[in-house]
Amino acid sequence: MDGLTEEDLAIPPVKYEYLDHTADVQLHAWGDTMEEAFEQCAMAMFGYMTDLSLVQIEKTYHIECEGDDLENLLFRFLDELLYMFCAEPFLIAKKVKITEFDGQAFKIKATALGEEFRIGKHTQEAEVKAITYSAMQIYDRPRVDRPELFVIVDI
């Protein structure tokens, strides 16, 4: 499948959690790098929509996005992935891998690996309706701690 390697198919450890928020859910993700934190935030969103252990890697989907600043880039990145899920072929990602990340020009290229969402095979958890800027926070503290992201999604 598209010349994927064993490394491409390896699923990274979970580095995200869900925080209670009135009528919405707040995704809290982190990583050793900002790119990994973005990837983990994407996986937190997909994990909130379905049980990712039931998702197989059968298809790949490539996305590109750019923003005006880092917050806008995160918003557009998640929004593009949400669109991928909401439009044909309704792809649910088991893994999202950023292939190019430019934190100065605010551009991302990424590959989502997963399969078409099918009721009956996949659990239908909360529906993510939209990504929001509400209380969005990005912390990049490589010398002190890990990069962290907080994003509220409308459910």
Side-chain angles (χ1 to χ4, degrees):
M1 177 177 39
D2 284 342
L4 297 175
T5 67
E6 295 252 345
E7 183 180 336
D8 292 331
L9 299 175
I11 305 303
V14 172
K15 295 181 181 178
Y16 60 81
E17 65 185 349
Y18 305 106
L19 304 174
D20 290 333
H21 190 272
T22 309
D24 296 317
V25 67
Q26 185 174 39
L27 309 177
H28 172 214
W30 57 91
D32 293 334
T33 64
M34 188 60 72
E35 294 92 327
E36 184 184 18
F38 270 56
E39 292 167 348
Q40 289 290 325
C41 196
M43 294 318 304
M45 179 180 72
F46 286 119
Y48 203 73
M49 294 190 283
T50 193
D51 179 354
L52 293 178
S53 70
L54 301 173
V55 178
Q56 302 297 312
I57 295 176
E58 296 177 355
K59 296 182 179 186
T60 59
Y61 187 86
H62 304 283
I63 66 163
E64 293 184 30
C65 58
E66 52 187 90
D68 302 320
D69 55 30
L70 204 54
E71 287 182 348
N72 185 244
L73 183 62
L74 177 58
F75 176 91
R76 290 183 178 197
F77 174 64
L78 295 174
D79 194 51
E80 187 71 26
L81 291 167
L82 182 59
Y83 175 78
M84 174 191 77
F85 175 77
C86 294
E88 295 280 347
F90 310 108
L91 187 70
I92 187 84
K94 185 174 187 84
K95 180 178 181 178
V96 173
K97 182 65 182 160
I98 294 175
T99 55
E100 291 182 35
F101 184 91
D102 186 333
Q104 302 300 313
F106 310 114
K107 295 181 181 182
I108 287 179
K109 289 183 181 180
T111 301
L113 301 93
E115 68 178 320
E116 183 178 334
F117 181 85
R118 292 185 297 275
I119 294 177
K121 177 178 182 182
H122 303 107
T123 59
Q124 191 170 5
E125 306 296 333
E127 176 187 358
V128 174
K129 296 176 186 170
I131 312 303
T132 74
Y133 280 105
S134 174
M136 181 182 284
Q137 299 170 54
I138 298 176
Y139 298 108
D140 188 7
R141 304 176 290 217
R143 290 192 179 97
V144 178
D145 206 356
R146 61 189 184 210
E148 290 184 81
L149 311 174
F150 293 87
V151 179
I152 293 177
V153 294
D154 182 19
I155 55 173

